[in-house]
Amino acid sequence: LAKMTPKVTKLWAKLVQSVPNARLLIKAKPFACPNMAAHFRQRLVMEGLEAHRIDLIPLDLATGDHLHKYRLMDISLDPFPYAGTTTTCEALWMGVPCITLRGKCHAHNVGVSLLTTVGLQDWIADDEDHYIRLAQEKAADLSALSSLRSNMRSKMRASRLMDGRGFVFDLEGVYRSLFRRYCTVGPRHIQVTKRTQAAANSSSSPESNETVNKNTKPSLTRERSQERDDDLKEFGTAT
């Protein structure tokens, strides 16, 4: 609920008012308290949103019950500037696409990263006006929204977001690049640069991705072991 700043509630109230028959549903632990729910509802009413279009519900104790609540939603709205992470992944997994606002740093752009990885770049807004326009456009095209929602989980499952082994393979490439820099120039000069990232990306070629997808873990292990042996021969044992 801390992410629901006055700026966020103002924008969301304006957005919901602009979409006919839309409702705003917010789920948060404090709403178990009737006084807190009434206070927060009044904040939205003061921004011009009718009380009957506001649904405030508390948390569920069981994960299954919590995830089941996503059936009540058609589109998820990412708060800003501090974007969601777990809730965005949950929404996507449960077939609810998310609109997020591009920001200036990592905490602002987690939603951007997640949606880009899943292939939903057209759900990323560049500014607040664009955020509202996106919501209006996506809500108006019910056929496209229904099609996306029915395929959202398979789309997410097939993306790099769900490729844990491929992610670790890339991460190991970054570690190896940092280790080689440490052995060459020392710890004071280590930093993650575009060149470091490029070195990591080069370790994840189409061939290596195909290896990952074919679930041949032993070959990855042997390859990394060979890289480690090569490093030890060149630089000696690291301490």
Side-chain angles (χ1 to χ4, degrees):
L1 196 58
K3 296 181 181 181
M4 306 296 105
T5 65
K7 195 171 185 178
V8 171
T9 54
K10 183 179 182 68
L11 182 69
W12 285 0
K14 182 179 179 180
L15 186 160
V16 174
Q17 290 176 79
S18 72
V19 179
N21 302 317
R23 302 178 65 86
L24 179 64
L25 185 150
I26 303 177
K27 189 170 186 285
K29 185 177 181 179
F31 295 150
C33 171
N35 290 336
M36 184 63 194
H39 172 74
F40 195 86
R41 180 176 286 103
Q42 187 58 30
R43 281 178 54 185
L44 291 165
V45 169
M46 290 178 65
E47 296 294 349
L49 184 58
E50 300 93 330
H52 70 272
R53 301 176 73 181
I54 304 169
D55 298 306
L56 305 178
I57 59 178
L59 296 184
D60 292 291
L61 295 180
T63 300
D65 293 337
H66 164 67
L67 294 176
H68 198 53
K69 288 295 192 299
Y70 282 97
R71 81 191 193 284
L72 302 174
M73 309 172 200
D74 296 300
I75 294 174
S76 173
L77 301 177
D78 205 10
F80 59 90
Y82 188 8
T85 303
T86 303
T87 51
T88 301
C89 290
E90 288 177 347
L92 296 176
W93 184 250
M94 298 304 294
V96 182
C98 178
I99 292 176
T100 192
L101 180 62
R102 195 184 307 278
K104 297 181 180 180
C105 65
H106 168 73
H108 301 176
N109 287 309
V110 174
V112 173
S113 177
L114 294 174
L115 294 185
T116 299
T117 304
V118 175
L120 296 179
Q121 293 92 330
D122 58 323
W123 288 75
I124 301 171
D126 296 318
D127 54 48
E128 294 178 20
D129 289 338
H130 188 203
Y131 189 105
I132 292 178
R133 290 198 309 273
L134 271 181
Q136 294 169 337
E137 293 167 5
K138 300 300 185 183
D141 193 344
L142 295 181
S143 177
L145 181 59
S146 177
S147 176
L148 175 61
R149 293 195 60 190
S150 64
N151 293 289
M152 190 68 255
R153 183 171 294 185
S154 59
K155 186 178 181 70
M156 182 179 181
R157 186 181 277 128
S159 73
R160 288 285 287 173
L161 186 62
M162 301 294 289
D163 182 13
R165 186 172 294 172
F167 173 82
V168 172
F169 190 79
D170 289 346
L171 184 61
E172 287 176 340
V174 174
Y175 288 160
R176 182 167 186 261
S177 177
L178 293 173
F179 171 71
R180 293 177 67 87
R181 285 175 61 85
Y182 173 84
C183 293
T184 303
V185 298
R188 289 179 298 175
H189 301 281
I190 290 181
Q191 56 182 333
V192 177
T193 63
K194 291 183 178 180
R195 181 177 298 178
T196 304
Q197 187 60 51
N201 292 338
S202 67
S203 69
S204 183
S205 62
E207 292 77 10
S208 64
N209 284 336
E210 182 178 357
T211 301
V212 171
N213 293 333
K214 287 184 177 178
N215 207 27
T216 51
K217 184 177 180 180
S219 66
L220 293 180
T221 303
R222 287 195 297 272
E223 184 175 341
R224 286 303 185 203
S225 295
Q226 184 60 53
E227 290 178 351
R228 180 197 62 195
D229 293 342
D230 291 343
D231 285 340
L232 292 177
K233 288 178 183 178
E234 183 176 353
F235 298 108
T237 302
T239 57

Short mmCIF file of all heavy atoms in Angstrom, two decimals, residues 64 67 79-80 142 146 160 193 232:
data_model
loop_
_atom_site.label_atom_id
_atom_site.label_comp_id
_atom_site.label_asym_id
_atom_site.label_seq_id
_atom_site.Cartn_x
_atom_site.Cartn_y
_atom_site.Cartn_z
N GLY A 64 -3.22 -20.07 -2.94
CA GLY A 64 -4.20 -20.41 -3.97
C GLY A 64 -5.37 -19.44 -3.99
O GLY A 64 -5.83 -19.01 -5.06
N LEU A 67 -4.10 -16.09 -5.50
CA LEU A 67 -3.98 -16.12 -6.96
C LEU A 67 -5.35 -16.18 -7.63
O LEU A 67 -5.54 -15.63 -8.73
CB LEU A 67 -3.12 -17.31 -7.39
CG LEU A 67 -1.65 -17.26 -6.98
CD1 LEU A 67 -0.93 -18.55 -7.38
CD2 LEU A 67 -0.95 -16.05 -7.60
N PRO A 79 2.06 0.30 -10.12
CA PRO A 79 2.28 1.59 -9.47
C PRO A 79 3.60 2.20 -9.94
O PRO A 79 4.42 1.55 -10.58
CB PRO A 79 2.33 1.23 -7.98
CG PRO A 79 2.82 -0.18 -7.97
CD PRO A 79 2.22 -0.83 -9.19
N PHE A 80 3.80 3.44 -9.60
CA PHE A 80 5.03 4.15 -9.99
C PHE A 80 5.33 5.22 -8.94
O PHE A 80 4.43 5.62 -8.20
CB PHE A 80 4.86 4.78 -11.39
CG PHE A 80 3.73 5.77 -11.47
CD1 PHE A 80 3.92 7.12 -11.21
CD2 PHE A 80 2.44 5.34 -11.80
CE1 PHE A 80 2.86 8.02 -11.26
CE2 PHE A 80 1.38 6.24 -11.86
CZ PHE A 80 1.59 7.58 -11.59
N LEU A 142 -11.70 -5.68 -26.62
CA LEU A 142 -11.96 -6.86 -25.81
C LEU A 142 -11.55 -8.15 -26.50
O LEU A 142 -11.12 -9.11 -25.84
CB LEU A 142 -13.45 -6.91 -25.45
CG LEU A 142 -13.97 -5.78 -24.56
CD1 LEU A 142 -15.45 -5.96 -24.28
CD2 LEU A 142 -13.18 -5.71 -23.26
N SER A 146 -8.95 -10.61 -24.75
CA SER A 146 -9.33 -11.99 -24.44
C SER A 146 -8.34 -12.98 -25.02
O SER A 146 -7.97 -13.96 -24.36
CB SER A 146 -10.73 -12.26 -24.99
OG SER A 146 -11.11 -13.60 -24.77
N ARG A 160 12.12 -15.84 -21.92
CA ARG A 160 13.36 -15.90 -21.15
C ARG A 160 13.11 -15.70 -19.66
O ARG A 160 13.94 -16.08 -18.83
CB ARG A 160 14.34 -14.83 -21.65
CG ARG A 160 14.95 -15.12 -23.00
CD ARG A 160 16.02 -16.18 -22.92
NE ARG A 160 17.23 -15.70 -22.28
CZ ARG A 160 18.28 -16.47 -21.98
NH1 ARG A 160 18.23 -17.75 -22.22
NH2 ARG A 160 19.34 -15.96 -21.40
N THR A 193 30.20 -3.11 -16.91
CA THR A 193 30.06 -2.17 -18.02
C THR A 193 29.33 -2.83 -19.17
O THR A 193 29.00 -4.02 -19.12
CB THR A 193 31.44 -1.70 -18.50
OG1 THR A 193 32.14 -2.85 -19.00
CG2 THR A 193 32.24 -1.09 -17.36
N LEU A 232 42.26 -21.10 -14.31
CA LEU A 232 43.24 -21.47 -13.30
C LEU A 232 44.62 -21.66 -13.92
O LEU A 232 45.64 -21.31 -13.31
CB LEU A 232 42.79 -22.75 -12.59
CG LEU A 232 41.55 -22.61 -11.70
CD1 LEU A 232 41.18 -23.94 -11.11
CD2 LEU A 232 41.80 -21.57 -10.59
#
